[in-house]
Amino acid sequence: MLLRVILSQDDIRRITIDNMPETVIGLHLMLKNKLGLEGDLVVQFQDPEFANEQCCNVTKYKYFVTTANELCNLSCMSELPKDKVTLKVYSKNLESYHTDSTLDTASLTTSSEESFSPNASRPRQLPQPFNIPTFSFDVELKLRHGNEAFHKDGTLLDVSKDTKSDILDKIAEAIYVHNPYPTREEYDLVSQALVEKHPCLREPGSVSGWYCWKFSLKFKMGNFRQKLRLAGCPELKINSRSPGTPGKGKLKRARKSEVNFLPDIPEGKTQRSLEEERTEMVTEMKKRKIDWQQIKEMMTSTFSLRRKQIVEDEPPVADVRARWPALFSERQIEAEFARLTSVDLKGSLFAGLDKYLLRFLEVFRARSGLVELNSLLSTLDNDSSNQRQRAVVLMGLPYYLKDVAKLYKKVQVTDAEEDWTKGMAVGILMVEQNNDRVCFAVVLEEEIIFPSLSDFPTAVALLMGLLFALNIDYPRGLRYTFEVIQKVLMDIGGGQCSALVHGLKNRLLRKKN
């Protein structure tokens, strides 16, 4: 199919579709990849069954003129007319954006009244409670009668193979919209929500009533991912293996609630053209006077290529720095973090710190037995500024959470520089000057990335930006510290926390007696 896509009056694109997707979620993914859309989409189509007829009187005769068909939400691809249909597409997360499309076997026309905002992105976690989708008409009819019988005398529905498959297909699509790789707890959440909404589906042989539904759903999600992987979905295709290749190595997926983890190459671009832009950026970064506006535009354009190389190849930090020197500037780390998460890097961290600042200090003081915490808190006697309080909270997290590694390392300016970063994989370097001033630096893989930073909170923010941008896992010895920074302070993926972090979050939210 040919697509004529009108994003604005001066932005009209022509693209080609080889095959129409078999599922609604596949259509959503196609529109997102081809048009660069983000967020949860709603697709509506003009249903010929609901033609809008207007009555017109001409002399003594009365005519009925059929105008545009009424719009209905698209829930199944079979609902679309065979020859021609008009679609309306808009994002749930956006108030202003919507697209009108006309689709037939030869063309697809799309127009947009207003441009969409790239900041409207979805989190990589399932909503709680999970909303069970509406199934096909016949399945919903069976479930309604089944629920009525269950409430009457406790009779359970005898679920046929086809009915069960329809239910699992629909739920798998709904899950994928939020997270392609659900956790064990999320499978529990969805299965429990299913039998709560439709109690006639409960299993008489399990204590929970949904144990087998959980495992059936896991298998269905695996099949659904494989179908999208074969269709070319980049986020799933990256984990495909050749026949005979042993299944080893970690699964490459969004682990920090990134909303734009592995985007497709933009329409009208190729990997070769993006590589040429990357080479131009390397040359531009060597100039004495850098055109930062041009760098910004090229970094945005080459985002998909950069993510592909970083996620697939997992190169060392030094190699990434050589190929993408602009990424290691403070302004571009902030921009890259926003591309990945749709969240402001420094703003989210500082806002979270200020929100919980007093409660953190109260919680820290309640742990009077920790010498390191007491030492940090005592520094507030001489300097109780907001900036110092922020630093004390961040420095004290590893001690309070009993992480085994250190977040920062102190050195003297007179120490041998080759020893400053020795043994530091991830952390903040604090260089104490002769005039009692302290300079901060971000360290990755024993290499100083950002030197001469003015304060500790800024250094932590840039460290978080680097870990996201370079797809580096949190070090095991600081896993709880970084989890608190991400999920509590920055509120990214905060709906799912470890038991330890969840307990701390509850204490922070609990009012002091």
Side-chain angles (χ1 to χ4, degrees):
M1 297 182 183
L2 296 177
L3 279 73
R4 180 173 178 265
V5 183
I6 304 175
L7 297 178
S8 63
Q9 292 182 351
D10 57 352
D11 187 3
I12 303 174
R13 309 178 193 179
R14 176 189 171 98
I15 58 178
T16 303
I17 297 178
D18 295 329
N19 296 300
M20 193 65 181
E22 297 179 358
T23 63
V24 175
I25 191 67
L27 178 63
H28 289 194
L29 291 171
M30 181 203 72
L31 293 172
K32 289 182 181 181
N33 291 334
K34 293 292 185 181
L35 305 180
L37 307 181
E38 295 182 358
D40 298 344
L41 300 184
V42 172
V43 179
Q44 297 178 333
F45 71 104
Q46 286 189 351
D47 194 336
E49 297 294 328
F50 296 96
N52 183 16
E53 295 182 333
Q54 295 180 352
C55 179
C56 299
N57 288 312
V58 180
T59 64
K60 63 179 180 178
Y61 297 101
K62 182 181 291 186
Y63 296 93
F64 286 93
V65 180
T66 300
T67 58
N69 302 327
E70 296 296 330
L71 289 168
C72 296
N73 284 353
L74 179 64
S75 59
C76 180
M77 295 297 288
S78 61
E79 295 174 344
L80 294 176
K82 293 183 179 180
D83 298 326
K84 186 176 181 180
V85 66
T86 297
L87 300 180
K88 182 177 181 180
V89 183
Y90 63 94
S91 172
K92 293 180 182 178
N93 298 330
L94 302 172
E95 297 179 357
S96 60
Y97 176 79
H98 80 268
T99 306
D100 292 333
S101 312
T102 301
L103 168 67
D104 55 30
T105 55
S107 65
L108 178 63
T109 304
T110 307
S111 67
S112 174
E113 294 182 358
E114 299 182 38
S115 60
F116 74 97
S117 167
N119 295 327
S121 301
R122 56 181 172 82
R124 286 302 181 97
Q125 61 187 48
L126 269 62
Q128 298 183 22
F130 182 80
N131 295 320
I132 298 299
T134 302
F135 305 111
S136 59
F137 180 77
D138 59 321
V139 173
E140 285 290 339
L141 189 61
K142 293 176 184 177
L143 292 176
R144 188 181 72 184
H145 292 318
N147 291 334
E148 290 174 354
F150 177 84
H151 290 302
K152 182 178 180 180
D153 53 21
T155 302
L156 297 176
L157 180 65
D158 185 12
V159 184
S160 66
K161 182 178 179 181
D162 290 341
T163 300
K164 184 174 183 178
S165 180
D166 289 344
I167 291 174
L168 294 173
D169 282 336
K170 198 69 176 180
I171 295 177
E173 289 186 8
I175 291 176
Y176 185 86
V177 168
H178 299 283
N179 189 355
Y181 297 97
T183 63
R184 181 177 56 186
E185 293 76 14
E186 287 176 328
Y187 280 119
D188 290 345
L189 175 73
V190 175
S191 304
Q192 184 177 358
L194 175 63
V195 299
E196 286 179 353
K197 182 175 181 180
H198 301 292
C200 64
L201 297 178
R202 291 183 63 86
E203 302 157 354
S206 65
V207 177
S208 62
W210 43 262
Y211 189 76
C212 291
W213 280 109
K214 168 185 174 181
F215 284 97
S216 297
L217 192 54
K218 290 179 71 174
F219 282 114
K220 179 61 70 173
M221 278 299 297
N223 293 335
F224 187 68
R225 285 194 297 265
Q226 178 63 11
K227 184 186 296 185
L228 294 180
R229 186 178 294 119
L230 294 175
C233 180
E235 188 170 353
L236 300 177
K237 191 176 180 180
I238 193 174
N239 289 312
S240 60
R241 299 186 179 93
S242 303
T245 303
K248 53 185 177 180
K250 68 178 183 180
L251 193 65
K252 296 177 180 178
R253 61 182 178 89
R255 298 177 183 273
K256 305 187 188 80
S257 298
E258 299 95 330
V259 298
N260 204 12
F261 180 67
L262 193 61
D264 203 356
I265 292 178
E267 188 64 33
K269 300 282 187 177
T270 64
Q271 188 162 335
R272 181 176 179 179
S273 66
L274 294 179
E275 182 63 28
E276 291 174 354
E277 285 191 52
R278 185 199 66 79
T279 304
E280 291 179 20
M281 273 195 294
V282 173
T283 302
E284 181 66 28
M285 289 298 294
K286 293 178 181 179
K287 295 180 180 179
R288 178 175 298 181
K289 188 176 181 180
I290 300 173
D291 186 345
W292 285 109
Q293 182 59 35
Q294 182 184 3
I295 291 294
K296 176 183 176 181
E297 293 172 357
M298 289 193 291
M299 284 291 288
T300 301
S301 175
T302 57
F303 177 58
S304 59
L305 175 66
R306 188 162 55 255
R307 291 302 296 172
K308 177 180 172 63
Q309 293 178 353
I310 290 174
V311 175
E312 287 188 2
D313 302 335
E314 300 180 356
V317 174
D319 291 355
V320 180
R321 196 171 190 176
R323 290 184 61 81
W324 301 95
L327 181 62
F328 292 81
S329 63
E330 189 170 334
R331 67 182 73 184
Q332 278 306 314
I333 277 295
E334 293 185 54
E336 192 82 348
F337 187 83
R339 296 183 194 107
L340 286 165
T341 65
S342 294
V343 172
D344 180 74
L345 177 59
K346 294 180 181 177
S348 61
L349 176 60
F350 298 162
L353 280 168
D354 293 341
K355 177 181 178 180
Y356 295 111
L357 201 55
L358 297 180
R359 282 297 294 144
F360 260 117
L361 296 178
E362 291 170 357
V363 170
F364 283 4
R365 290 189 176 101
R367 284 279 185 92
S368 57
L370 295 177
V371 177
E372 295 86 353
L373 274 181
N374 291 336
S375 177
L376 284 171
L377 291 169
S378 65
T379 62
L380 296 177
D381 297 336
N382 298 324
D383 181 7
S384 60
S385 63
N386 179 263
Q387 193 74 302
R388 182 57 192 169
Q389 289 180 1
R390 289 176 176 177
V392 167
V393 168
L394 292 171
M395 291 178 180
L397 279 175
Y399 302 116
Y400 180 85
L401 297 168
K402 297 183 179 179
D403 273 333
V404 296
K406 292 184 176 181
L407 178 61
Y408 59 93
K409 177 181 179 181
K410 291 182 178 181
V411 298
Q412 300 291 329
V413 71
T414 54
D415 295 340
E417 291 189 14
E418 58 269 19
D419 296 333
W420 284 7
T421 60
K422 186 175 294 184
M424 289 188 70
V426 172
I428 308 298
L429 187 68
M430 299 173 58
V431 184
E432 297 180 348
Q433 310 288 328
N434 294 327
N435 55 1
D436 294 332
R437 292 183 67 253
V438 179
C439 190
F440 302 90
V442 177
V443 177
L444 282 180
E445 297 179 1
E446 297 189 353
E447 183 179 356
I448 294 178
I449 306 299
F450 291 116
S452 304
L453 299 174
S454 61
D455 59 86
F456 192 83
T458 297
V460 171
L462 293 175
L463 176 59
M464 287 296 294
L466 284 168
L467 295 178
F468 272 76
L470 302 179
N471 198 38
I472 297 176
D473 291 338
Y474 296 145
R476 191 169 184 83
L478 287 169
R479 54 174 294 198
Y480 294 117
T481 297
F482 283 111
E483 185 182 354
V484 169
I485 294 173
Q486 175 196 320
K487 297 183 177 182
V488 178
L489 297 179
M490 304 181 82
D491 195 22
I492 300 174
Q496 295 175 339
C497 302
S498 63
L500 179 63
V501 173
H502 187 71
L504 172 60
K505 190 174 182 179
N506 286 340
R507 283 191 287 275
L508 294 174
L509 295 173
R510 191 180 302 131
K511 292 183 179 180
K512 185 179 179 182
N513 296 328

